[in-house]
């Protein structure tokens, strides 16, 4: 990556930096996009931290410290922290309030929640490992490790009610892949419905979780209407359990290391047996408590290639039959969030047509490219990995750091000055 781009990356994260004070301690983090996403988001911050390790490892640590400062005693870490209350009050009541605990928090003059009650893909162990590799800071590791151990234990204890090792999400926003057609069936969205109805249906899930269960962590999982064992979330979970095992080993915690490593392999085994469609040679989410496997081919289906120990036949099928397939994912600017031959594929997203963002229905995103790039490299697909790197660099050079890009034309769309698109320097 040339110097000019890397300077722009650093300048962007710098410009997106915000501060907050907790118990007298000053915290710094970067918002995903000042105009569109003015709070701290979980997986965004993990990506920002990874990018910061290229420039200033202290900033990388700060980003993660701010994130874990909102960890609950039971281990949970929220997907959004509403540091800047003035921005929250300007949002419609349908927004952040629904993602938080408390029945009445949307009413004026009631105490406002500090954070959401949702999770996001658990990529924090990878971020901590990066910081550790760059800094070898034992104090940082000693501070973060017990928090990480509690967080991943929380995921297992609270999010795997049927004990099949796959963790569940209770709302599409928890996967970070918000409006993917992979969730259409579960939320009852049909092609004949208007795009606005998609947004409303997702919001309805949130409203039910809030007004029926007050976003109570166990009740929502037990009784909420949206219940999905998501392949992207579980791939990231399995990979990060393994990273966590390594971190524990580094800290001399052999027993914990062994347990997390075993868990990582069991999650992979469950993915391979329950989510793999033998006929279509790809992974698909398990929808609802009945574990109905869906069949919409999206970037979610490819994510298990991030696991180094995934069965090689499955890796080969995912890469050679799907990822490198020019009718599906191998478009001019790969990797689109939905396979191009799916009826729901929409390369321009739908943000121009309606005043709300409908995300992940076709465009290419830099964070999923980052994951797939790493997966391809580790399985020896260097040429394909290089191509993703080059095309992602082109996207950023031509269109700037946008939230997502048209996979056919390269046009940038969605939020501007978008934080995780800076991951391009980490390819
Ligand atoms: C969108 C994305 C989500 C991300 C958030 C902040 O909602 O779908 O994954 O964390 O924006 O960037």
């Amino acid at each position: 990556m040339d110097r000019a781009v890397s300077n722009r990356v650093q300048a962007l994260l710098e410009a997106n930096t915000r501060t907050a004070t907790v118990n007298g301690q000053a915290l710094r983090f970067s918002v995903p996009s000042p105009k569109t996403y003015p709070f701290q988001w979980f997986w965004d911050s993990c990506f920002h931290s990874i990018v910061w390790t290229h420039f200033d490892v202290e900033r990388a640590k700060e980003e993660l410290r701010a994130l874990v400062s909102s960890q609950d005693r039971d281990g949970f870490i929220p997907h959004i922290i509403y540091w800047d209350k003035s921005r929250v009050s300007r949002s419609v009541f349908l927004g952040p309030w629904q993602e938080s605990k408390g029945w009445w928090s949307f009413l004026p003059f009631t105490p406002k929640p500090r954070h959401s009650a949702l999770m996001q893909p658990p990529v924090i162990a990878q971020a901590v490992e990066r910081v550790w590799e760059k800094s070898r800071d034992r104090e940082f590791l000693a501070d973060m490790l017990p928090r990480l151990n509690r967080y991943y234990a929380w995921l297992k204890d609270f999010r795997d009610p049927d004990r099949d090792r796959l963790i569940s999400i209770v709302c599409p926003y928890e996967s970070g892949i918000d409006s993917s057609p992979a969730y259409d069936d579960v939320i009852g969205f049909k092609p004949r419905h208007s795009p606005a109805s998609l947004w409303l249906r997702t919001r309805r899930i949130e409203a039910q979780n809030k007004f029926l269960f007050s976003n109570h962590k166990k009740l929502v999982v037990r009784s909420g209407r949206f219940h999905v064992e998501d392949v992207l979330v579980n791939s990231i979970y399995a990979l990060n359990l393994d990273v966590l095992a390594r971190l524990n080993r580094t800290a001399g915690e052999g027993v914990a290391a062994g347990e997390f490593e075993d868990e990582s392999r069991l999650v992979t085994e469950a993915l391979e047996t329950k989510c793999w469609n033998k006929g279509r040679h790809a992974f698909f989410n398990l929808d609802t408590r009945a574990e109905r496997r869906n069949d919409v081919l999206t970037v979610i289906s490819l994510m298990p290639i991030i696991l180094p120990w995934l069965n090689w036949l499955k890796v080969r099928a995912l890469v050679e039959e799907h990822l490198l397939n020019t009718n599906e994912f191998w478009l001019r600017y790969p990797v689109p969030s939905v396979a191009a031959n799916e009826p729901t594929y929409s390369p321009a997203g739908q943000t121009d047509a309606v005043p709300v963002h409908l995300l992940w229905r076709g465009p290419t995103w830099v964070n999923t490219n980052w994951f797939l790039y790493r997966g391809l490299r580790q399985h020896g697909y260097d040429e394909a990995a290089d191509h993703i790197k080059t095309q992602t660099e082109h996207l950023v050079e031509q269109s700037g750091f946008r939230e997502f890009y048209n996979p056919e034309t390269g046009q940038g769309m969605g939020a501007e000055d978008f934080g995780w698109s800076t991951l391009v320097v980490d390819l």
Side-chain angles (χ1 to χ4, degrees), residues 32-33 37 41-44 79 120 173 175-179 359-360 365 367 403 418 420:
S33 164
Y37 301 111
W41 260 262
F42 180 91
W43 72 334
D44 300 70
H79 100 299
Q120 253 190 342
Y173 298 150
S175 70
I177 310 291
D178 307 4
S179 303
L359 310 176
W360 300 98
W365 294 66
N367 67 332
E403 189 178 8
F418 191 67
W420 81 39

Side-chain angles (χ1 to χ4, degrees), residues 40-47 49-50 60-71 75-78 81 120-132 140-141 143-145 147-153 155 236-237 239-241 243-244 247 370-371:
Q40 183 174 22
W41 260 262
F42 180 91
W43 72 334
D44 300 70
S45 262
C46 296
F47 297 131
S49 166
I50 289 169
K61 291 178 198 165
E62 285 187 74
E63 190 85 33
L64 297 175
R65 283 198 196 105
L67 193 59
V68 300
S69 72
S70 286
Q71 182 167 34
F76 166 81
I77 305 177
I81 311 172
Q120 253 190 342
V123 65
I124 191 168
Q126 280 180 276
V128 170
E129 185 177 53
R130 255 326 169 76
V131 172
W132 161 251
F140 174 77
L141 185 61
D143 176 32
M144 295 302 285
L145 200 54
R147 299 171 191 270
L148 292 194
N149 288 351
R150 273 190 293 134
Y151 173 60
Y152 287 89
L155 291 171
I236 293 176
Y237 176 52
L239 181 66
N240 277 265
L241 284 170
V243 173
L244 187 57
L247 290 172
W370 178 83
F371 275 115

